[in-house]
Amino acid sequence: FTRDGIGSLINSTEGVLYWEGSTLINGGGDNRIISLSDSSNNNLIYIRIDSTASRFRGYARGSSGSYTLVTVNSIPQTDNNKIALVWDATNFRIWINGSERVTTTINNSPVGMNTLNLSSPTGSDTFFGKVKQLQVYDTALTDEQLEALTS
C-alpha cells in the first residue's frame, strides 16, 4: 500500500502517525514498517515493528543529520496495539496502549513528507500484519487526546 500526493494533509513541522493493529508473528524475519516520507530515506517518520520480539521503534529524520530514535520493549507484537508517534519542532514521542513510553529531543525535523507507505520509504521492509486503523494528524495532539486515542 502506498498513498502519495498527500502533502497537503501532512504538516511536517508537527503531527501524529497513528496505527492500530497487530502482526502475525512476534519478532522473527524482517522489520515491518509504516512510514510517512518524501519517498526517500530523508524526511521521514516511521513506526518499525522490529524483527526482535516485543520491540517497537519510532524513527524521525530530516533532510540531513542523524535519525531520532525511540524504542519500547516488552510489548507482544501479536497483541492488538495502538501506537502513536508524535513530533513537533523540539520533541519526538511514542505513545503505546494509553501511555507515553519515551520522549526525546528531535535531532532533525522532517520536511516535505507527501507519501504514506506500508513499508519503508523506499519500499523495503514491507508491513505484514493486521491494520485496524491508520491515521495521520497534521497537529501534535495533546496528552489527553493521545491517551484517549491509544487507550
Side-chain angles (χ1 to χ4, degrees), residues 20-64:
E20 178 185 358
S22 62
T23 62
L24 303 178
I25 60 171
N26 187 31
D30 296 325
N31 298 312
R32 290 135 296 168
I33 293 177
I34 300 165
S35 64
L36 283 175
S37 72
D38 66 356
S39 298
S40 75
N41 281 325
N42 298 311
N43 298 308
L44 58 82
I45 298 286
Y46 68 72
I47 298 168
R48 182 171 100 178
I49 299 95
D50 209 78
S51 60
T52 299
S54 302
R55 178 186 292 167
F56 292 90
R57 289 188 161 168
Y59 288 82
R61 185 176 189 200
S63 60
S64 64

